[in-house]
Amino acid sequence: MAITAKDLKEVASSLNILYAEDEEILREGMQSSLSKLFANVYTARNGQEAFEYFKKEDIDIVMTDINMPIMSGVELIESINRYTDKEPKIIVLSAHNESKLLQNIINMGVNNYLNKPVDKQVMVSLLYKAAQAITDGKLLIEYRSRLEKELEFSDRKNKILEEKLKQLAVHVNKAEAVENKESVVEVKKVDDNYFDTLLQDDKDELRDLSHELESFIAMLFTDDGLNEDYIDILSVTYKNYASVLNAYVEFFDVAVSLTEFSNTILSLRNKFMENLQQTGIYFESLQLTLESFRHNVWEKEAQNPRFYNASLKMDIQLIIDFLEEKEIVENEIEFF
């Protein structure tokens, strides 16, 4: 079945094409046709002008005439090959059938040709093939990038688990862990209707704050030029989270810990910025526990709403110890 312009548009509508042609009538006619199929069409009167466009814009496909003033199509292809490793799809238009010329072009890695005058069906088929290859390539790159991010996140979760297991081992090996029962989560009787006391506005605010914290913490792994303003905003967000919890007696102790934590972040900002990847691992650990607390206690009717309090406070203390550069043996954490 012949490829149609509609088929081409489906795969080319997000791509950019550069067309170099010194004859104005041909250039304007081709621009009119291509603009209906591609996201952006850039036209040039010669190879030099086309090369300048190529350096400035994100070009996916290059269509070029061979014989042009100032810089020929062959010279344009040579310039592109020297400039980038991107290897855009290049289509050569020529009224010549000289074997020597074609051999030179083949040696440069170009194997797409259109004879003048251009057969529109052949052009559509050739452009479709090029656009499909580019689109498939971009999808593959996107898939690999997403997979790498998922693997990176999985690796960070494993590191978080390792940190907590180390803390658990320290806790279990200490003799006072058996005697000092208050370090373990204490489940106190709570009124059966505690869930009814949670205001919807507070639920919504905690959800919004949680989304903000997730975004802020994700930035720690992007190495995107974070500055001290970032720490100020992060500290305020934790303080706002604490202010919501402060209104509920069940979570007053967590609110106090989060408030103190937000102040500690500010006072230890130099250590915070010293190793953002490692800092991010600790903060992501806290966020996982905090989000589990929000989901189970505020979205579901948890039987024991205080269950997560001790774990949250221990995660907070773990980060403080890290920022204060204390040894791991000084830390104790409950693992859930």
Side-chain angles (χ1 to χ4, degrees):
M1 184 179 294
I3 301 298
T4 66
K6 182 179 179 181
D7 296 327
L8 173 57
K9 185 175 182 178
E10 288 181 358
V11 297
S13 58
S14 63
L15 304 181
N16 300 328
I17 188 168
L18 170 62
Y19 176 62
E21 169 62 63
D22 60 321
E23 294 188 29
E24 184 176 357
I25 295 177
L26 293 178
R27 189 172 62 250
E28 291 179 351
M30 188 66 77
Q31 181 180 28
S32 177
S33 298
L34 295 175
S35 62
K36 300 173 184 177
L37 304 170
F38 288 82
N40 293 292
V41 179
Y42 302 94
T43 60
R45 294 167 294 183
N46 55 67
Q48 181 62 51
E49 193 174 282
F51 186 52
E52 294 302 319
Y53 271 120
F54 185 85
K55 290 189 292 185
K56 291 188 299 183
E57 308 295 341
D58 183 19
I59 303 298
D60 298 298
I61 298 175
V62 177
M63 288 180 63
T64 179
D65 188 21
I66 289 296
N67 291 317
M68 295 182 292
I70 304 177
M71 179 187 283
S72 70
V74 174
E75 292 171 320
L76 170 61
I77 296 170
E78 290 174 337
S79 297
I80 290 174
N81 288 340
R82 286 194 302 267
Y83 178 75
T84 181
D85 296 329
K86 180 182 176 183
E87 297 185 0
K89 295 296 181 181
I90 298 177
I91 299 173
V92 173
L93 297 92
S94 177
H96 303 279
N97 292 313
E98 299 179 5
S99 59
K100 183 177 180 180
L101 176 62
L102 294 177
Q103 187 60 50
N104 288 339
I105 296 173
I106 291 173
N107 291 338
M108 290 186 288
V110 178
N111 54 12
N112 298 308
Y113 313 99
L114 284 173
N115 291 322
K116 289 183 176 181
V118 175
D119 183 313
K120 288 189 176 180
Q121 180 58 53
V122 174
M123 183 185 74
V124 167
S125 297
L126 198 56
L127 286 173
Y128 177 86
K129 179 181 177 182
Q132 185 69 68
I134 292 170
T135 301
D136 290 345
K138 288 187 174 183
L139 288 175
L140 180 59
I141 291 173
E142 181 181 343
Y143 172 77
R144 285 177 176 172
S145 177
R146 185 167 64 249
L147 181 60
E148 287 174 358
K149 289 180 180 179
E150 290 175 356
L151 290 174
E152 180 185 353
F153 178 69
S154 177
D155 183 58
R156 295 203 305 267
K157 289 182 70 175
N158 288 336
K159 289 181 179 179
I160 290 169
L161 179 60
E162 289 174 5
E163 290 292 338
K164 288 194 173 185
L165 287 174
K166 289 177 184 177
Q167 298 305 316
L168 182 61
V170 171
H171 179 73
V172 171
N173 289 332
K174 286 188 176 181
E176 61 265 33
V178 177
E179 302 172 357
N180 203 5
K181 296 291 183 70
E182 67 268 18
S183 64
V184 181
V185 177
E186 294 183 8
V187 178
K188 299 180 180 179
K189 182 173 177 57
V190 179
D191 292 338
D192 293 336
N193 64 343
Y194 96 92
F195 193 78
D196 296 332
T197 68
L198 306 180
L199 299 179
Q200 186 60 49
D201 286 347
D202 289 341
K203 294 180 186 179
D204 294 340
E205 185 172 358
L206 286 186
R207 183 183 63 250
D208 293 341
L209 288 170
S210 182
H211 291 162
E212 290 180 24
L213 287 171
E214 287 176 0
S215 298
F216 291 149
I217 293 170
M219 293 171 66
L220 290 170
F221 299 98
T222 63
D223 194 22
D224 196 19
L226 301 182
N227 55 37
E228 293 191 358
D229 290 340
Y230 166 87
I231 300 177
D232 294 333
I233 296 172
L234 185 64
S235 174
V236 169
T237 306
Y238 280 117
K239 192 167 293 185
N240 290 339
Y241 205 109
S243 68
V244 176
L245 301 184
N246 194 52
Y248 300 88
V249 64
E250 293 90 350
F251 318 120
F252 179 76
D253 55 339
V254 176
V256 172
S257 293
L258 278 174
T259 301
E260 294 175 350
F261 177 58
S262 67
N263 294 329
T264 301
I265 296 174
L266 297 178
S267 64
L268 299 174
R269 62 176 70 220
N270 289 337
K271 175 60 180 177
F272 184 104
M273 301 294 292
E274 188 176 292
N275 186 341
L276 292 180
Q277 285 283 325
Q278 187 62 36
T279 299
I281 290 173
Y282 280 94
F283 274 78
E284 196 165 53
S285 172
L286 171 60
Q287 181 59 24
L288 289 172
T289 306
L290 195 61
E291 180 58 15
S292 181
F293 157 77
R294 188 194 67 81
H295 178 73
N296 287 288
V297 174
W298 289 77
E299 299 296 338
K300 295 183 177 181
E301 297 189 27
Q303 292 183 348
N304 302 311
R306 295 194 184 98
F307 180 81
Y308 293 90
N309 290 19
S311 183
L312 278 169
K313 290 189 292 183
M314 291 295 184
D315 272 17
I316 290 170
Q317 188 58 50
L318 177 61
I319 299 178
I320 293 174
D321 288 349
F322 162 70
L323 294 176
E324 292 179 343
E325 299 183 304
K326 291 184 178 180
E327 295 294 331
I328 188 171
V329 293
E330 296 179 17
N331 301 325
E332 291 184 27
I333 186 167
E334 287 299 321
F335 177 70
F336 297 95

